[in-house]
């Protein structure tokens, strides 16, 4: 940058007059900067700095902004959040209520901050648009768990593979992975039916997804088993975050119409090291999860260098008080 060139002033001026939508979101996905074009299209006031989720929820409720083709805004938010902010670059087409089409590019820094730039492509020939839209829909379907709307097994393992490569390139960065499993899930299906079980899985997935950072990965790997990837997170920090998530789940009603039914989870946690592969990471998590189940469930086991230690979530002072004894009335046992 040339000294004394007035670059800052001119950049501000250009951002004010360009038709391109420009916005910057921080690691918590809260808007930190947006030019007039972005604020106009997405109905954000000049002095407002909402989160990405808040922008889309209120616009959806008002019938404006982006076209959202989903029966549930919660499911749509969970699905998009499973892909948004997970890779350095992402581009896609988006249509706006009223007929406008945008080409959107998201660029993410290692610290989680995101630059969003969108250009109006409405006037460009739409001959190949249907093909591109069909491609985007197919890509989304290939990455999304149909029941829960979060990452499916294939996508979460692709993210884990990328994490391994990032770790090799930046060995000083702390990253953790955790395998989580619903305790006694079979009793839900046996007592209330498989449709109730499906509802529990979907509600739990959305609850966890909304309780973690945008840059973290979360996906369903099969049945009632989920994989969580925590970036820029030490084992100690991961442990605290897991306790908060597990308390959140245990203190929530995840089965509609049955507030007395609550659930707990068991978790197997490990750190990601240089030279790791998806197989070695999953194996350590799986061994720790198996140990957590063997120790009575509703707890976290940590696998460090194949040495497994138990963390009982009810001994953590930061958690909210709740009875964790197995078989208490109202708990799915």
């Amino acid at each position: 940058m040339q000294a004394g060139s007035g670059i800052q002033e001119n950049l501000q001026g250009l951002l004010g007059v360009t038709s391109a939508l420009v916005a910057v979101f921080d690691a918590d996905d809260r808007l930190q900067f947006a030019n007039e074009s972005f604020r106009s299209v997405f109905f954000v006031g000049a002095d407002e700095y909402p989160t990405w989720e808040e922008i889309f929820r209120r616009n959806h409720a008002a019938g404006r902004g982006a076209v959202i083709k989903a029966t549930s805004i919660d499911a749509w938010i969970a699905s998009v959040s499973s892909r948004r902010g997970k890779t350095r670059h992402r581009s896609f087409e988006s249509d706006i209520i009223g007929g406008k089409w945008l080409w959107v590019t998201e660029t993410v820094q290692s610290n989680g901050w995101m630059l969003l730039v969108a250009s109006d492509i409405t006037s460009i020939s739409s001959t190949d648009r249907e093909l591109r839209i069909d491609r985007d829909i197919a890509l989304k379907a290939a990455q999304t768990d149909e029941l829960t709307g979060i990452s499916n097994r294939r996508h979460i393992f692709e993210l884990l593979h990328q994490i391994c490569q990032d770790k090799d390139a930046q060995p000083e960065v702390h990253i953790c992975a955790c395998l989580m499993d619903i305790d006694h899930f079979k009793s839900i299906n046996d007592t209330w039916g498989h449709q109730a079980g499906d509802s529990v899985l979907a509600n739990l997935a959305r609850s966890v997804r909304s309780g973690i950072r945008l840059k973290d990965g979360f996906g369903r790997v099969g049945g009632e088993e989920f994989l969580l990837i925590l970036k820029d997170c030490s084992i100690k920090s991961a442990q605290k975050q897991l306790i908060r998530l597990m308390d959140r789940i245990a203190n929530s009603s995840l089965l509609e119409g049955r507030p007395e039914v609550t659930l707990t989870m068991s978790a197997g946690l490990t750190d990601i090291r240089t030279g790791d592969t998806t197989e070695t990471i999953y194996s350590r998590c799986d061994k720790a999860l198996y140990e957590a189940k063997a120790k009575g469930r509703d707890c976290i086991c940590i696998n460090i260098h194949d040495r497994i230690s138990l963390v009982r979530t009810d001994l953590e002072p930061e958690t909210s008080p709740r009875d964790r004894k197995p078989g208490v009335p109202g708990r799915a046992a």
Side-chain angles (χ1 to χ4, degrees):
M1 183 183 299
Q2 294 183 14
S5 62
I7 184 68
Q8 193 96 12
E9 180 181 346
N10 283 290
L11 179 58
Q12 287 290 339
L14 290 168
L15 288 170
V17 299
T18 181
S19 62
L21 286 63
V22 182
V24 176
F25 292 85
D26 65 16
D28 295 322
D29 216 13
R30 181 169 294 280
L31 186 68
Q32 294 297 327
F33 169 83
N35 67 350
E36 175 57 32
S37 296
F38 179 93
R39 292 181 180 275
S40 174
V41 169
F42 290 106
F43 299 91
V44 179
D47 297 324
E48 284 189 296
Y49 297 92
T51 64
W52 172 87
E53 180 175 337
E54 288 168 347
I55 293 171
F56 280 81
R57 279 190 182 279
R58 71 187 190 187
N59 283 342
H60 177 70
R64 64 193 187 192
V67 174
I68 295 177
K69 298 176 181 177
T71 56
S72 164
I73 183 62
D74 292 331
W76 186 85
I77 291 287
S79 176
V80 175
S81 296
S82 291
R83 299 183 303 279
R84 177 176 162 81
K86 306 300 180 296
T87 56
R88 294 184 183 89
H89 303 283
R90 188 169 81 110
S91 298
F92 54 93
E93 287 185 51
S94 177
D95 52 334
I96 304 298
I97 292 174
K100 181 180 291 186
W101 282 86
L102 301 175
W103 179 255
V104 184
T105 299
E106 295 173 343
T107 305
V108 184
Q109 288 188 145
S110 58
N111 64 0
W113 282 58
M114 177 190 294
L115 171 67
L116 181 150
V117 179
S119 300
D120 189 339
I121 57 171
T122 310
S123 62
I124 298 176
S125 173
S126 61
T127 306
D128 298 325
R129 180 169 292 155
E130 288 190 12
L131 290 175
R132 293 195 301 271
I133 293 172
D134 288 343
R135 178 205 61 194
D136 290 343
I137 291 173
L139 179 60
K140 175 185 174 182
Q143 296 176 337
T144 305
D145 179 64
E146 185 176 0
L147 174 62
T148 63
I150 61 174
S151 294
N152 59 15
R153 182 185 182 94
R154 174 182 175 180
H155 188 230
I156 195 66
F157 274 95
E158 287 176 351
L159 293 176
L160 189 59
H161 176 70
Q162 181 61 53
I163 289 291
C164 291
Q165 294 180 328
D166 293 344
K167 179 65 177 179
D168 289 340
Q170 296 179 296
E172 72 281 0
V173 176
H174 295 289
I175 313 170
C176 292
C178 179
L179 201 57
M180 307 174 71
D181 186 270
I182 302 174
D183 296 329
H184 305 294
F185 180 72
K186 184 176 181 296
S187 67
I188 292 290
N189 287 330
D190 292 345
T191 304
W192 307 108
H194 288 275
Q195 187 172 355
D198 288 350
S199 178
V200 166
L201 290 171
N203 290 333
L204 180 143
R206 293 166 194 166
S207 178
V208 174
R209 180 65 260 176
S210 64
I212 59 179
R213 301 166 301 176
L214 179 65
K215 62 183 175 182
D216 297 327
F218 184 59
R220 183 181 176 210
V221 295
E224 64 270 26
E225 194 171 85
F226 300 84
L227 182 62
L228 175 63
I229 302 172
L230 298 169
K231 293 184 176 181
D232 299 312
C233 191
S234 66
I235 279 287
K236 185 175 182 180
S237 296
Q239 175 185 323
K240 291 181 178 180
Q241 185 164 345
L242 280 172
I243 289 171
R244 285 194 294 269
L245 286 174
M246 291 168 69
D247 266 340
R248 177 177 184 161
I249 292 164
N251 289 310
S252 300
S253 177
L254 300 175
L255 182 57
E256 289 92 342
R258 296 289 178 180
E260 74 278 9
V261 178
T262 56
L263 301 170
T264 61
M265 297 193 79
S266 300
L269 174 67
T270 192
D271 60 338
I272 297 178
R273 307 190 291 263
T274 54
D276 260 333
T277 64
T278 55
E279 291 79 12
T280 60
I281 296 167
Y282 185 83
S283 176
R284 291 201 303 275
C285 287
D286 191 47
K287 290 176 182 177
L289 176 61
Y290 180 85
E291 190 67 19
K293 292 288 188 181
K295 294 294 184 183
R297 299 179 171 85
D298 191 18
C299 62
I300 304 164
C301 277
I302 302 174
N303 189 341
I304 303 294
H305 300 293
D306 291 320
R307 296 183 63 181
I308 300 176
S309 58
L310 172 67
V311 176
R312 286 204 177 275
T313 54
D314 56 347
L315 298 181
E316 173 61 41
E318 293 183 4
T319 61
S320 58
R322 61 188 179 91
D323 190 347
R324 289 180 176 272
K325 295 178 182 179
V328 297
R331 179 147 310 180

